Amino acid sequence: MVYDRKPITDHFRKIDRDRVLGVMQVEGNDRHYFFALGRVGEGAVQAAQTTAGSL
């Protein structure tokens, strides 16, 4: 994924059905930022929407 007007590139690799590993590179920075993303269950999304609606 490449962001418009930002010198950031993300690369993703599938770990399994519910998770991906990501690494973010910022242009001009030698560091790499690693992260994992997991699928959120449908019930968790509904709970989050309910909580957000009560704010």
Side-chain angles (χ1 to χ4, degrees):
M1 176 181 340
V2 178
Y3 298 89
D4 292 340
R5 296 183 226 136
K6 293 195 186 272
I8 299 171
T9 305
D10 287 337
H11 302 271
F12 298 95
R13 179 65 58 127
K14 184 177 179 178
I15 298 171
D16 59 30
R17 182 174 174 250
D18 295 320
R19 297 179 299 160
V20 295
L21 175 67
V23 60
M24 180 177 73
Q25 297 173 297
V26 180
E27 186 178 312
N29 186 338
D30 291 335
R31 292 175 157 178
H32 292 81
Y33 300 92
F34 293 89
F35 55 94
L37 300 174
R39 184 183 310 271
V40 175
E42 190 173 318
V45 172
Q46 291 173 350
Q49 290 172 343
T50 302
T51 303
S54 64
L55 295 178

